[in-house]
PDB file of all heavy atoms in Angstrom:
ATOM      1  N   PRO B  28     -44.180  57.391   9.556  1.00 47.00           N
ATOM      2  CA  PRO B  28     -44.931  58.155  10.577  1.00 47.00           C
ATOM      3  C   PRO B  28     -44.188  58.235  11.908  1.00 47.00           C
ATOM      4  O   PRO B  28     -43.315  57.420  12.208  1.00 47.00           O
ATOM      5  CB  PRO B  28     -46.193  57.310  10.745  1.00 47.00           C
ATOM      6  CG  PRO B  28     -45.740  55.947  10.392  1.00 47.00           C
ATOM      7  CD  PRO B  28     -44.663  56.077   9.414  1.00 47.00           C
ATOM      8  N   LYS B  38     -40.443  60.122  34.356  1.00 86.00           N
ATOM      9  CA  LYS B  38     -40.375  61.515  34.955  1.00 86.00           C
ATOM     10  C   LYS B  38     -38.918  62.000  34.994  1.00 86.00           C
ATOM     11  O   LYS B  38     -37.986  61.272  35.429  1.00 86.00           O
ATOM     12  CB  LYS B  38     -40.971  61.475  36.357  1.00 86.00           C
ATOM     13  CG  LYS B  38     -41.086  62.860  36.955  1.00 86.00           C
ATOM     14  CD  LYS B  38     -41.560  62.773  38.390  1.00 86.00           C
ATOM     15  CE  LYS B  38     -41.573  64.150  39.069  1.00 86.00           C
ATOM     16  NZ  LYS B  38     -40.198  64.722  39.193  1.00 86.00           N
ATOM     17  N   LEU B  52     -27.415  62.409  49.642  1.00 82.00           N
ATOM     18  CA  LEU B  52     -26.455  61.305  49.605  1.00 82.00           C
ATOM     19  C   LEU B  52     -25.243  61.588  50.448  1.00 82.00           C
ATOM     20  O   LEU B  52     -24.742  60.773  51.186  1.00 82.00           O
ATOM     21  CB  LEU B  52     -26.099  60.913  48.197  1.00 82.00           C
ATOM     22  CG  LEU B  52     -27.176  60.191  47.395  1.00 82.00           C
ATOM     23  CD1 LEU B  52     -26.750  60.036  45.920  1.00 82.00           C
ATOM     24  CD2 LEU B  52     -27.470  58.796  47.966  1.00 82.00           C
ATOM     25  N   LEU B  60     -20.838  57.410  58.152  1.00 79.00           N
ATOM     26  CA  LEU B  60     -19.461  57.440  58.620  1.00 79.00           C
ATOM     27  C   LEU B  60     -19.425  57.693  60.111  1.00 79.00           C
ATOM     28  O   LEU B  60     -18.730  57.003  60.867  1.00 79.00           O
ATOM     29  CB  LEU B  60     -18.694  58.543  57.903  1.00 79.00           C
ATOM     30  CG  LEU B  60     -17.796  58.123  56.787  1.00 79.00           C
ATOM     31  CD1 LEU B  60     -17.123  59.313  56.155  1.00 79.00           C
ATOM     32  CD2 LEU B  60     -16.788  57.076  57.235  1.00 79.00           C
ATOM     33  N   ARG B  68     -15.964  52.846  68.059  1.00 80.00           N
ATOM     34  CA  ARG B  68     -15.538  53.218  69.405  1.00 80.00           C
ATOM     35  C   ARG B  68     -16.265  52.404  70.472  1.00 80.00           C
ATOM     36  O   ARG B  68     -15.655  51.963  71.460  1.00 80.00           O
ATOM     37  CB  ARG B  68     -15.787  54.722  69.598  1.00 80.00           C
ATOM     38  CG  ARG B  68     -14.775  55.563  68.919  1.00 80.00           C
ATOM     39  CD  ARG B  68     -15.017  57.044  68.962  1.00 80.00           C
ATOM     40  NE  ARG B  68     -14.275  57.594  67.799  1.00 80.00           N
ATOM     41  CZ  ARG B  68     -12.974  57.798  67.783  1.00 80.00           C
ATOM     42  NH1 ARG B  68     -12.228  57.443  68.833  1.00 80.00           N
ATOM     43  NH2 ARG B  68     -12.393  58.287  66.714  1.00 80.00           N
ATOM     44  N   LYS B  71     -14.767  49.102  70.606  1.00 76.00           N
ATOM     45  CA  LYS B  71     -13.435  49.092  71.289  1.00 76.00           C
ATOM     46  C   LYS B  71     -13.680  49.170  72.818  1.00 76.00           C
ATOM     47  O   LYS B  71     -13.029  48.448  73.580  1.00 76.00           O
ATOM     48  CB  LYS B  71     -12.641  50.270  70.831  1.00 76.00           C
ATOM     49  CG  LYS B  71     -11.173  50.172  71.267  1.00 76.00           C
ATOM     50  CD  LYS B  71     -10.290  51.065  70.442  1.00 76.00           C
ATOM     51  CE  LYS B  71      -8.869  50.908  70.874  1.00 76.00           C
ATOM     52  NZ  LYS B  71      -8.480  51.842  71.968  1.00 76.00           N
ATOM     53  N   ALA B  97      -2.086  26.169  98.622  1.00 71.00           N
ATOM     54  CA  ALA B  97      -1.423  26.311  99.899  1.00 71.00           C
ATOM     55  C   ALA B  97      -2.011  25.349 100.959  1.00 71.00           C
ATOM     56  O   ALA B  97      -1.326  24.733 101.722  1.00 71.00           O
ATOM     57  CB  ALA B  97      -1.498  27.752 100.405  1.00 71.00           C
ATOM     58  N   ARG B 109       0.808  26.556 111.330  1.00 62.00           N
ATOM     59  CA  ARG B 109       0.556  27.845 110.710  1.00 62.00           C
ATOM     60  C   ARG B 109      -0.822  27.863 110.020  1.00 62.00           C
ATOM     61  O   ARG B 109      -1.531  28.833 110.054  1.00 62.00           O
ATOM     62  CB  ARG B 109       1.664  28.178 109.762  1.00 62.00           C
ATOM     63  CG  ARG B 109       1.625  29.708 109.407  1.00 62.00           C
ATOM     64  CD  ARG B 109       2.595  30.070 108.270  1.00 62.00           C
ATOM     65  NE  ARG B 109       3.951  29.702 108.518  1.00 62.00           N
ATOM     66  CZ  ARG B 109       4.701  29.033 107.716  1.00 62.00           C
ATOM     67  NH1 ARG B 109       4.219  28.596 106.554  1.00 62.00           N
ATOM     68  NH2 ARG B 109       5.985  28.747 107.967  1.00 62.00           N
ATOM     69  N   LEU B 151     -26.888  44.775  61.280  1.00 89.00           N
ATOM     70  CA  LEU B 151     -28.014  45.525  60.770  1.00 89.00           C
ATOM     71  C   LEU B 151     -27.547  46.752  59.927  1.00 89.00           C
ATOM     72  O   LEU B 151     -28.055  47.014  58.838  1.00 89.00           O
ATOM     73  CB  LEU B 151     -28.806  46.087  61.986  1.00 89.00           C
ATOM     74  CG  LEU B 151     -30.035  46.942  61.724  1.00 89.00           C
ATOM     75  CD1 LEU B 151     -31.073  46.149  60.987  1.00 89.00           C
ATOM     76  CD2 LEU B 151     -30.635  47.417  63.037  1.00 89.00           C
ATOM     77  N   CYS B 152     -26.491  47.363  60.435  1.00 87.00           N
ATOM     78  CA  CYS B 152     -25.921  48.524  59.668  1.00 87.00           C
ATOM     79  C   CYS B 152     -25.348  48.020  58.327  1.00 87.00           C
ATOM     80  O   CYS B 152     -25.591  48.699  57.266  1.00 87.00           O
ATOM     81  CB  CYS B 152     -24.827  49.110  60.533  1.00 87.00           C
ATOM     82  SG  CYS B 152     -24.129  50.609  59.915  1.00 87.00           S
ATOM     83  N   ASP B 166     -31.087  52.892  41.052  1.00 92.00           N
ATOM     84  CA  ASP B 166     -31.254  54.248  40.524  1.00 92.00           C
ATOM     85  C   ASP B 166     -30.486  54.430  39.232  1.00 92.00           C
ATOM     86  O   ASP B 166     -30.940  55.085  38.298  1.00 92.00           O
ATOM     87  CB  ASP B 166     -30.806  55.243  41.602  1.00 92.00           C
ATOM     88  CG  ASP B 166     -31.880  55.430  42.652  1.00 92.00           C
ATOM     89  OD1 ASP B 166     -32.966  54.863  42.459  1.00 92.00           O
ATOM     90  OD2 ASP B 166     -31.605  56.041  43.676  1.00 92.00           O
ATOM     91  N   GLU B 168     -29.582  52.096  37.138  1.00 95.00           N
ATOM     92  CA  GLU B 168     -30.269  51.343  36.072  1.00 95.00           C
ATOM     93  C   GLU B 168     -31.532  52.082  35.579  1.00 95.00           C
ATOM     94  O   GLU B 168     -31.741  52.225  34.358  1.00 95.00           O
ATOM     95  CB  GLU B 168     -30.712  49.953  36.549  1.00 95.00           C
ATOM     96  CG  GLU B 168     -29.497  48.970  36.574  1.00 95.00           C
ATOM     97  CD  GLU B 168     -29.853  47.720  37.338  1.00 95.00           C
ATOM     98  OE1 GLU B 168     -31.021  47.454  37.576  1.00 95.00           O
ATOM     99  OE2 GLU B 168     -28.909  46.930  37.670  1.00 95.00           O
ATOM    100  N   SER B 185     -36.444  63.213  15.537  1.00 93.00           N
ATOM    101  CA  SER B 185     -35.445  63.704  14.581  1.00 93.00           C
ATOM    102  C   SER B 185     -35.853  63.297  13.146  1.00 93.00           C
ATOM    103  O   SER B 185     -35.736  64.094  12.182  1.00 93.00           O
ATOM    104  CB  SER B 185     -34.073  63.204  14.875  1.00 93.00           C
ATOM    105  OG  SER B 185     -33.700  63.624  16.161  1.00 93.00           O
ATOM    106  N   PHE B 208     -38.884  71.977  19.501  1.00 90.00           N
ATOM    107  CA  PHE B 208     -38.908  72.305  20.929  1.00 90.00           C
ATOM    108  C   PHE B 208     -38.924  71.060  21.783  1.00 90.00           C
ATOM    109  O   PHE B 208     -38.204  70.921  22.800  1.00 90.00           O
ATOM    110  CB  PHE B 208     -40.131  73.193  21.291  1.00 90.00           C
ATOM    111  CG  PHE B 208     -40.043  73.605  22.737  1.00 90.00           C
ATOM    112  CD1 PHE B 208     -39.192  74.590  23.167  1.00 90.00           C
ATOM    113  CD2 PHE B 208     -40.930  73.037  23.617  1.00 90.00           C
ATOM    114  CE1 PHE B 208     -39.176  74.970  24.482  1.00 90.00           C
ATOM    115  CE2 PHE B 208     -40.904  73.364  25.016  1.00 90.00           C
ATOM    116  CZ  PHE B 208     -40.001  74.384  25.407  1.00 90.00           C
ATOM    117  N   LEU B 219     -30.325  65.104  32.035  1.00 88.00           N
ATOM    118  CA  LEU B 219     -30.559  65.024  33.453  1.00 88.00           C
ATOM    119  C   LEU B 219     -30.614  63.527  33.963  1.00 88.00           C
ATOM    120  O   LEU B 219     -30.074  63.209  35.024  1.00 88.00           O
ATOM    121  CB  LEU B 219     -31.885  65.712  33.811  1.00 88.00           C
ATOM    122  CG  LEU B 219     -31.875  67.183  33.753  1.00 88.00           C
ATOM    123  CD1 LEU B 219     -33.223  67.800  33.816  1.00 88.00           C
ATOM    124  CD2 LEU B 219     -31.011  67.765  34.880  1.00 88.00           C
ATOM    125  N   MET B 248     -16.461  40.745  64.911  1.00 81.00           N
ATOM    126  CA  MET B 248     -17.124  40.833  66.259  1.00 81.00           C
ATOM    127  C   MET B 248     -17.900  39.562  66.522  1.00 81.00           C
ATOM    128  O   MET B 248     -17.802  39.047  67.589  1.00 81.00           O
ATOM    129  CB  MET B 248     -18.049  42.059  66.282  1.00 81.00           C
ATOM    130  CG  MET B 248     -18.617  42.379  67.613  1.00 81.00           C
ATOM    131  SD  MET B 248     -17.379  43.097  68.648  1.00 81.00           S
ATOM    132  CE  MET B 248     -18.328  43.564  70.143  1.00 81.00           C
ATOM    133  N   SER B 256     -17.606  33.670  74.091  1.00 83.00           N
ATOM    134  CA  SER B 256     -18.771  33.191  74.869  1.00 83.00           C
ATOM    135  C   SER B 256     -18.623  31.746  75.254  1.00 83.00           C
ATOM    136  O   SER B 256     -18.861  31.324  76.371  1.00 83.00           O
ATOM    137  CB  SER B 256     -20.067  33.403  74.113  1.00 83.00           C
ATOM    138  OG  SER B 256     -20.285  34.734  73.838  1.00 83.00           O
ATOM    139  N   ALA B 272     -16.997  21.706  95.622  1.00 47.00           N
ATOM    140  CA  ALA B 272     -15.942  20.671  95.630  1.00 47.00           C
ATOM    141  C   ALA B 272     -15.307  20.711  96.990  1.00 47.00           C
ATOM    142  O   ALA B 272     -14.801  21.744  97.455  1.00 47.00           O
ATOM    143  CB  ALA B 272     -14.956  21.015  94.548  1.00 47.00           C
ATOM    144  N   GLU B 281     -10.378  21.843  88.836  1.00 65.00           N
ATOM    145  CA  GLU B 281     -11.503  22.541  88.232  1.00 65.00           C
ATOM    146  C   GLU B 281     -11.071  23.969  87.836  1.00 65.00           C
ATOM    147  O   GLU B 281     -11.369  24.463  86.787  1.00 65.00           O
ATOM    148  CB  GLU B 281     -12.699  22.590  89.145  1.00 65.00           C
ATOM    149  CG  GLU B 281     -13.497  21.344  89.173  1.00 65.00           C
ATOM    150  CD  GLU B 281     -14.155  20.954  87.892  1.00 65.00           C
ATOM    151  OE1 GLU B 281     -14.818  21.798  87.304  1.00 65.00           O
ATOM    152  OE2 GLU B 281     -13.957  19.828  87.456  1.00 65.00           O
ATOM    153  N   GLY B 285     -10.961  25.823  84.297  1.00 68.00           N
ATOM    154  CA  GLY B 285     -11.683  27.093  84.104  1.00 68.00           C
ATOM    155  C   GLY B 285     -10.772  28.169  83.613  1.00 68.00           C
ATOM    156  O   GLY B 285     -11.100  28.962  82.734  1.00 68.00           O
ATOM    157  N   LEU B 300      -8.889  42.965  69.989  1.00 63.00           N
ATOM    158  CA  LEU B 300      -8.638  44.408  70.381  1.00 63.00           C
ATOM    159  C   LEU B 300      -7.616  45.024  69.433  1.00 63.00           C
ATOM    160  O   LEU B 300      -7.761  46.202  69.057  1.00 63.00           O
ATOM    161  CB  LEU B 300      -8.138  44.462  71.789  1.00 63.00           C
ATOM    162  CG  LEU B 300      -9.207  44.610  72.835  1.00 63.00           C
ATOM    163  CD1 LEU B 300      -8.653  44.561  74.253  1.00 63.00           C
ATOM    164  CD2 LEU B 300      -9.963  45.938  72.701  1.00 63.00           C
ATOM    165  N   GLU B 337     -28.051  73.307  31.797  1.00 65.00           N
ATOM    166  CA  GLU B 337     -28.766  74.548  31.992  1.00 65.00           C
ATOM    167  C   GLU B 337     -28.402  75.522  30.869  1.00 65.00           C
ATOM    168  O   GLU B 337     -29.259  76.138  30.230  1.00 65.00           O
ATOM    169  CB  GLU B 337     -28.396  75.115  33.347  1.00 65.00           C
ATOM    170  CG  GLU B 337     -29.153  76.341  33.782  1.00 65.00           C
ATOM    171  CD  GLU B 337     -30.590  75.915  34.287  1.00 65.00           C
ATOM    172  OE1 GLU B 337     -31.015  74.778  33.988  1.00 65.00           O
ATOM    173  OE2 GLU B 337     -31.204  76.780  34.873  1.00 65.00           O
ATOM    174  N   VAL B 368     -35.367  75.697   8.144  1.00 40.00           N
ATOM    175  CA  VAL B 368     -35.492  75.261   9.571  1.00 40.00           C
ATOM    176  C   VAL B 368     -34.294  74.315   9.837  1.00 40.00           C
ATOM    177  O   VAL B 368     -34.128  73.329   9.131  1.00 40.00           O
ATOM    178  CB  VAL B 368     -36.781  74.476   9.748  1.00 40.00           C
ATOM    179  CG1 VAL B 368     -36.905  74.033  11.193  1.00 40.00           C
ATOM    180  CG2 VAL B 368     -37.953  75.262   9.347  1.00 40.00           C
TER     181      VAL B 368
END
Side-chain angles (χ1 to χ4, degrees):
Chain B
K38 186 184 173 295
L52 286 172
L60 259 180
R68 282 173 203 286
K71 194 162 180 269
R109 196 190 300 130
L151 179 62
C152 187
D166 283 351
E168 282 169 14
S185 296
F208 183 74
L219 286 169
M248 188 76 174
S256 298
E281 281 296 310
L300 270 173
E337 190 76 344
V368 182

